[in-house]
């Protein structure tokens, strides 16, 4: 095997490993445990605690479903054999938390129109949403909170996306940051 073939084989092996590990992360996200953005927003909308809901509402994640209705999205979708990206699981698996990274609706608790909500990044909230749990970060993480949520990014922001461009993870995290000033890290 020459060097070029060896490098290609290593690249394919690495890509397969990533796909398996990301699929595993998504599989751990039991759709029955989603609570929806309104439930998350009950506690995460106050300015003195960081107004995470308000930050999300102004983000591209909140607009992910609407993005699929744009002429540019429709053009991209046609290139991959999709007529209507707002109705295709191929697109909605990453543009809507309701699909839980699959090509079919996985939960009725979240509407596709809600876009990419809190739980796409932080995992289904049912097991960690209690105030007593959320007040203790280690306890919340043990109950299923994905934090930091950077591994979640790669479930959609990867080479499978027809518009994927490598990005600076640190810069993207800063762009979507929504910390709670009262939480000690």
């Amino acid at each position: 095997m020459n060097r070029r073939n060896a490098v290609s084989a290593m690249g394919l092996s690495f890509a397969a490993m990533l796909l398996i590990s990301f699929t595993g992360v998504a599989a751990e996200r039991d759709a029955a445990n989603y609570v929806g953005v309104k439930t998350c927003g009950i506690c995460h909308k106050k300015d003195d605690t960081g107004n995470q809901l308000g930050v999300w509402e102004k983000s591209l994640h909140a607009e992910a479903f609407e993005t699929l209705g744009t002429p540019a999205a429709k053009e991209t979708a046609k290139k991959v054999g999709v007529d209507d990206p707002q109705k295709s699981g191929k697109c909605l698996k990453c543009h809507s938390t309701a699909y839980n990274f699959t090509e079919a609706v996985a939960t009725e608790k979240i509407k596709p129109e809600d876009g990419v909500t809190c739980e796409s990044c932080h995992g289904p909230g049912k097991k960690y949403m209690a105030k007593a749990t959320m007040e203790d970060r280690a306890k919340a993480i043990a109950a299923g909170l994905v934090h930091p949520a950077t591994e979640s990014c790669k479930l959609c922001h990867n080479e499978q996306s027809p518009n994927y461009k490598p990005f600076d993870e640190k810069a993207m995290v800063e762009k979507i940051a929504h910390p709670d000033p009262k939480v000690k890290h």
Side-chain angles (χ1 to χ4, degrees):
M1 180 183 286
N2 67 32
R3 180 175 162 87
R4 185 175 181 193
N5 289 340
V7 170
S8 287
M10 285 179 10
L12 286 173
S13 295
F14 180 70
M17 245 179 21
L18 285 175
L19 181 60
I20 289 166
S21 67
F22 295 148
T23 302
V25 171
E28 294 171 13
R29 295 168 185 248
D30 184 349
N33 290 320
Y34 281 109
V35 297
V37 72
K38 287 181 183 178
T39 300
C40 297
I42 291 170
C43 297
H44 296 286
K45 65 181 176 187
K46 299 171 186 142
D47 287 332
D48 67 333
T49 58
N51 191 10
Q52 296 85 359
L53 179 66
V55 172
W56 170 78
E57 289 173 331
K58 295 174 187 166
S59 75
L60 293 176
H61 283 145
E63 298 173 6
F65 178 81
E66 286 83 20
T67 299
L68 294 176
T70 65
K74 290 177 181 179
E75 185 177 317
T76 298
K78 282 191 188 342
K79 292 177 186 175
V80 295
V82 171
D83 290 329
D84 185 349
Q86 287 184 316
K87 293 181 180 173
S88 170
K90 286 182 180 181
C91 303
L92 290 167
K93 69 181 183 178
C94 285
H95 283 260
S96 174
T97 304
Y99 281 69
N100 194 31
F101 309 102
T102 67
E103 291 191 21
V105 172
T107 179
E108 299 295 326
K109 293 178 185 167
I110 302 168
K111 295 179 179 85
E113 298 82 17
D114 291 343
V116 177
T117 66
C118 319
E119 293 167 294
S120 275
C121 303
H122 296 290
K126 185 176 183 179
K127 293 183 178 181
Y128 64 79
M129 69 179 200
K131 185 177 183 189
T133 303
M134 287 297 289
E135 288 178 340
D136 180 335
R137 174 144 309 149
K139 196 177 195 181
I141 291 169
L145 172 69
V146 178
H147 184 82
T150 54
E151 284 303 309
S152 297
C153 304
K154 297 171 188 171
L155 291 170
C156 292
H157 295 278
N158 60 50
E159 289 80 8
Q160 292 179 353
S161 168
N163 292 323
Y164 175 72
K165 294 177 188 109
F167 62 93
D168 177 347
E169 189 173 302
K170 184 179 177 191
M172 295 309 281
V173 168
E174 287 175 14
K175 186 176 180 178
I176 64 167
H178 49 274
D180 181 338
K182 292 182 179 181
V183 173
K184 292 179 178 39
H185 299 276

